[in-house]
Amino acid sequence: MSKIAVVGTGYVGLVSGAILSDFGHTVTCVDVNENKISDLKKGIIPIYEPGLETIVQKNHYYKRLDFTTDIQHAVENNDVIFIAVGTPPADDGSADLQFVLSVAQSIGTYMNGYKVIVDKSTVPVGTGQKVKDMINSTLLEREVEYPFDVVSNPEFLREGSAVQDFTHPDRVVIGAESQRAFEIMKEVYRVLYLNETPLVETNIETAEMIKYAANAFLAMKITFINEIANVCEKVGADVQKVAKAMGQDGRISPKFLHAGPGYGGSCFPKDTMALAKIAQDYGETISLIETTVKANERQKMKMVDKIVNAMGDIEGKTLAILGITFKPNTDDMRDAPSLVILPELAKRGAKFKVYDPEGLKEGIWRLEGIKESITWSENTYEAIENTDATVILTEWNEFRTLDLDKVRDLNGGRFFFDLRNIYNKNVMLDEGFKYYGVGV
């Protein structure tokens, strides 16, 4: 079994570290945030991810998983070091690598023998070489020589199902420059390797590009069906049946063909912009992705127009907002459609009663700018009571089985904006609602 350090205990780092320890490795997770490390040692995790808390607590109890702020100790005492820190978008849309390169410098400062340094963060093509250069220059300043390898090992985790995705991946991508590094990484993923998980061995640059290309394609697929949905509304077609028939074509598949208010989250918005910037930096045009970014922002505004056009003047009207996270089974609100849709409706004078099963904590500070317009509710029906419309923004399971008689009684306006298409339009109309979906 390997001795592994994971630097960064955000979404990717914590999931990776916890499950690698569950594979039997000895893992040390490192973070500069002392409060976060203290909580993790108590079994308190900073994110909502189904199944993760149990894995963290179990492996910490069995001493396979530990947490520290001491990066020197982690580098000196582990053989494989994962870099899993944030790469937020810079002003020009490129990925900000300051945290990645800072970790690389620390690794070079404390390295005491051969190490495999693994880029787990989503990073632009060429980052692996920058990490290598940073470590080499730091070793040169120390006037020491230690061999090391840099590996690109991108993650393909979906928030809300990350445990399943890590333990049952479609593939594991490993980009490296030496057979020694490949063999060590195969040992890291030995549990998956024995289960015949496909292993893609390639160079560093190809591995880095695979991650961006995959995410950009999925974002493009979502945007495609959203734009088809907008046309469907104009011509009288049903986008759900269009998407189902498309998905039955084996060349297309049904995944990510669900019309809605636009994609959000920590990956698609950031990665599409970063890929477009990479292309620009190398003198290439990647117009499909550039258009995808613009169309996704336009889709959010179309949801605002849908509500206003249906209800007319919304000044002083109160809307029940069900769900504000970018997707269900997560508390993540990064680039969530709600962060555009609610402020735009607030500009037009709307008030909100908001309920999300996990979004309250993050929602309070992310929607600080319109806090005077928001009343936070403790459950679905409290949010719906005495409102003029119900708006479903996130398809949490509990919103799929609403008591429609109760909703009708509580919601005087009978307006029902199902922006995730989880209800049948004809049923809702028969129930007396003024129903509006996306592309139906």
Side-chain angles (χ1 to χ4, degrees), residues 222-246 257-260 299 302-303 306 421 425 437-440:
I222 293 170
T223 302
F224 175 83
I225 201 64
N226 282 341
E227 297 219 306
I228 292 294
N230 297 335
V231 178
C232 283
E233 289 187 11
K234 298 291 176 65
V235 302
D238 184 337
V239 75
Q240 289 180 294
K241 292 184 178 179
V242 171
K244 183 176 181 180
M246 284 177 61
L257 284 179
H258 303 286
Q299 186 71 6
K302 282 185 173 291
M303 300 303 102
K306 181 187 294 287
N421 288 346
K425 177 180 180 179
V438 179
V440 295

Side-chain angles (χ1 to χ4, degrees), residues 178-418:
S178 79
Q179 193 58 37
R180 185 180 184 184
F182 280 123
E183 293 305 320
I184 288 172
M185 292 304 294
K186 286 179 184 178
E187 179 61 28
V188 168
Y189 289 109
R190 185 169 180 268
V191 171
L192 302 180
Y193 194 59
L194 292 175
N195 290 340
E196 300 185 350
T197 297
L199 190 66
V200 179
E201 296 185 37
T202 184
N203 65 12
I204 294 171
E205 289 75 17
T206 303
E208 291 170 337
M209 181 57 83
I210 287 169
K211 169 65 174 182
Y212 276 112
N215 275 1
F217 183 81
L218 294 175
M220 191 165 59
K221 197 172 180 184
I222 293 170
T223 302
F224 175 83
I225 201 64
N226 282 341
E227 297 219 306
I228 292 294
N230 297 335
V231 178
C232 283
E233 289 187 11
K234 298 291 176 65
V235 302
D238 184 337
V239 75
Q240 289 180 294
K241 292 184 178 179
V242 171
K244 183 176 181 180
M246 284 177 61
Q248 289 170 333
D249 187 324
R251 298 168 299 177
I252 298 174
S253 99
K255 294 180 179 179
F256 290 84
L257 284 179
H258 303 286
Y263 60 75
S266 62
C267 294
F268 290 176
K270 176 171 68 73
D271 294 352
T272 47
M273 290 190 295
L275 181 57
K277 185 62 170 60
I278 291 168
Q280 291 170 13
D281 289 345
Y282 285 88
E284 291 294 335
T285 300
I286 193 160
S287 55
L288 283 174
I289 304 307
E290 293 172 356
T291 301
T292 293
V293 172
K294 294 175 183 176
N296 189 59
E297 292 308 305
R298 189 165 60 241
Q299 186 71 6
K300 299 171 188 177
M301 293 303 300
K302 282 185 173 291
M303 300 303 102
V304 175
D305 293 340
K306 181 187 294 287
I307 292 169
V308 173
N309 291 340
M311 297 184 69
D313 184 6
I314 60 172
E315 177 78 39
K317 299 286 180 66
T318 301
L319 311 181
I321 304 296
L322 303 185
I324 52 173
T325 56
F326 88 94
K327 64 181 291 189
N329 296 322
T330 180
D331 55 357
D332 196 345
M333 283 188 63
R334 284 175 287 184
D335 281 299
S338 61
L339 298 179
V340 172
I341 294 170
L342 267 60
E344 287 295 330
L345 291 171
K347 287 180 186 177
R348 294 159 174 77
K351 303 289 184 182
F352 312 104
K353 293 178 70 181
V354 179
Y355 171 66
D356 187 290
E358 295 293 337
L360 174 62
K361 184 178 178 180
E362 193 165 337
I364 288 174
W365 69 267
R366 287 199 183 270
L367 293 168
E368 169 74 18
I370 58 167
K371 64 179 181 180
E372 302 300 327
S373 302
I374 296 177
T375 300
W376 296 97
S377 302
E378 294 185 3
N379 59 63
T380 303
Y381 297 107
E382 181 183 310
I384 293 172
E385 187 174 14
N386 296 324
T387 58
D388 299 290
T390 299
V391 183
I392 297 179
L393 276 179
T394 312
E395 64 276 34
W396 287 91
N397 280 339
E398 63 186 271
F399 302 152
R400 295 176 181 272
T401 55
L402 295 176
D403 181 335
L404 296 181
D405 290 335
K406 191 172 184 179
V407 173
R408 192 173 54 244
D409 292 341
L410 293 173
N411 185 320
R414 303 264 176 107
F415 284 100
F416 196 101
F417 297 95
D418 179 9

Side-chain angles (χ1 to χ4, degrees), residues 89-105:
D91 292 340
D92 63 357
S94 63
D96 186 344
L97 296 178
Q98 63 171 312
F99 303 116
V100 170
L101 295 178
S102 176
V103 173
Q105 186 176 39

